[in-house]
Amino acid sequence: MRRISRITVAGAATASLALALSACGSTSTSGSSDSKGDKGLAIAYDVGGKGDQSFNDAAYAGLERAQKEFGYETADVEPTEGETDADKEQRLVSLAKQGYNPVIGVGYAYAAAVKGAAEKFPKTTFGIVDDATINTKNVADLVFSEEQASYLAGVAAAKSTKSNVVGFVGGVDIPLIHKFQAGFAQGVKDTNPKVKVLSQYLTQTAEEGGFSSPDKGKTAAEGQIEKKADVVYAAAGLSGQGVIEAAAAKKVWAIGVDSDQYKQEALAKHKDFILTSAMKDVAKAVYNLAKSVEDGKPETGIVRGDLKTGEVGLSDSNPKFADDAELQEAIKTAKEKIISGEIKVKSS
């Protein structure tokens, strides 16, 4: 059940808050407030924004599910170029002031902003995706064992390559993306030590466009394909679209990330070359936090999704992948060993 809204001011105050929001990035809302005047889930997007066919869109899917199920008003806010931590914090503060609860920052870049906003609004539940550093009683750190899904992607790549060369393209050279690379490389080597893994990061910082530049992803993938890579795995947000485009153009396999990219409308013309996607269920994590607030028992602390909980794994939408019995058996075996602890997947 929704808690009673703490917002009692309307009119001019609402207009000024909307103005503050628009100054920090565009926003959209859906649904209508319930009879108590409460508002529901609000999310603030990471670099790339809505439409990245990956990480941010998965968060939006969780918001859509919550809005449909709980029938309340929601909001989703776009980032702006070159914004500071203070800009991000103001965005979250504005959402909390308007009565949204929970308020989620999508991406590790929101760490400082979520911490600051949560201290200002201790009765609002905040969430952050992909960061486990905030130890505040009203914050849920929504994190995932991406290395486990990436390990399975490595198994798939090693079983699918004909050239014995596969590639990894990371968006930004940071610990979060190192997890994807480490798991993938380990899965490849454990499956077939003869397979070479080519790895490349697009940028050193997110501000340089590592997660938002399909052209950079395309160029990197083309370079790896020239070096005989016939399976390329991207953990690069919107930049991954360029990796998939390059793979399709050269008729080699791409492995998607975060969402089931075989099903993404923007990638439909390339889907026959998307072998699988290493998914993490950001949508479920976002929805679950909203539901916990709705139920009056807000999640807090570290909330981790992994193979055991079913919140990371491989998609099987491509029939060529799903119908390959030998490949599926190898993936099933690896999954069971990871869950049992027989295989310990590296995260760096």
Side-chain angles (χ1 to χ4, degrees):
M1 185 161 98
R2 294 298 293 168
R3 289 176 287 179
I4 296 174
S5 173
R6 300 180 308 282
I7 304 303
T8 59
V9 186
T14 303
S16 66
L17 291 170
L19 214 67
L21 258 183
S22 65
C24 296
S26 60
T27 181
S28 62
T29 60
S30 59
S32 58
S33 300
D34 65 21
S35 59
K36 296 178 182 178
D38 245 346
K39 293 181 181 178
L41 170 63
I43 61 175
Y45 293 116
D46 198 3
V47 174
K50 185 160 60 172
D52 67 349
Q53 309 297 320
S54 183
F55 185 70
N56 289 300
D57 282 0
Y60 181 67
L63 179 142
E64 283 189 304
R65 180 182 174 190
Q67 193 281 323
K68 182 178 180 181
E69 184 164 328
F70 306 133
Y72 54 31
E73 185 173 341
T74 61
D76 58 308
V77 190
E78 296 284 352
T80 58
E81 188 173 349
E83 66 186 20
T84 65
D85 286 343
D87 295 328
K88 290 184 175 69
E89 182 174 333
Q90 178 57 39
R91 178 178 302 131
L92 301 181
V93 164
S94 295
L95 291 166
K97 278 183 177 179
Q98 291 183 81
Y100 289 103
N101 189 18
V103 177
I104 300 176
V106 183
Y108 68 92
Y110 275 95
V114 167
K115 188 174 188 298
E119 289 172 354
K120 290 181 173 72
F121 290 87
K123 294 183 180 180
T124 298
T125 297
F126 290 82
I128 182 166
V129 181
D130 280 351
D131 181 88
T133 66
I134 304 175
N135 184 21
T136 303
K137 63 181 181 180
N138 59 323
V139 175
D141 298 320
L142 309 176
V143 293
F144 302 86
S145 296
E146 295 96 345
E147 69 278 8
Q148 294 181 351
S150 295
Y151 184 101
L152 300 184
V155 174
K159 298 292 286 185
S160 301
T161 180
K162 293 182 171 58
S163 66
N164 277 355
V165 181
V166 301
F168 171 82
V169 176
V172 181
D173 190 358
I174 53 173
L176 172 63
I177 307 303
H178 297 169
K179 291 169 67 179
F180 290 86
Q181 179 189 6
F184 180 70
Q186 185 181 349
V188 170
K189 293 301 181 184
D190 285 357
T191 304
N192 185 352
K194 294 179 180 179
V195 177
K196 182 179 181 180
V197 181
L198 306 175
S199 295
Q200 180 177 344
Y201 287 91
L202 300 180
T203 64
Q204 293 299 305
T205 67
E207 290 73 20
E208 296 171 278
F211 291 132
S212 56
S213 305
D215 58 326
K216 293 182 189 295
K218 183 178 180 181
T219 299
E222 287 173 342
Q224 293 183 344
I225 294 167
E226 285 178 6
K227 295 176 182 177
K228 307 301 183 186
D230 59 356
V231 185
V232 185
Y233 173 40
L238 185 63
S239 300
Q241 290 192 28
V243 174
I244 291 170
E245 182 183 344
K250 297 296 184 180
K251 294 181 167 49
V252 301
W253 286 121
I255 295 178
V257 77
D258 292 341
S259 300
D260 184 355
Q261 297 200 288
Y262 183 90
K263 291 183 175 180
Q264 295 287 355
E265 186 176 343
L267 298 170
K269 63 183 178 181
H270 307 310
K271 70 178 186 177
D272 289 344
F273 298 96
I274 302 174
L275 179 66
T276 182
S277 296
M279 299 191 299
K280 59 182 183 183
D281 203 341
V282 175
K284 183 177 179 181
V286 166
Y287 166 80
N288 282 347
L289 181 57
K291 187 176 189 302
S292 74
V293 173
E294 185 73 8
D295 292 343
K297 299 177 181 178
E299 291 179 327
T300 58
I302 293 176
V303 183
R304 180 175 298 279
D306 56 17
L307 281 179
K308 189 172 184 178
T309 68
E311 289 174 58
V312 304
L314 294 186
S315 62
D316 59 2
S317 299
N318 189 331
K320 291 181 181 177
F321 173 79
D323 296 341
D324 187 328
E326 182 182 344
L327 175 55
Q328 291 301 318
E329 184 59 32
I331 291 169
K332 179 183 176 184
T333 299
K335 180 178 178 180
E336 290 172 348
K337 288 183 176 180
I338 292 170
I339 291 174
S340 72
E342 183 177 343
I343 293 176
K344 301 195 180 301
V345 185
K346 298 174 184 177
S347 58
S348 63

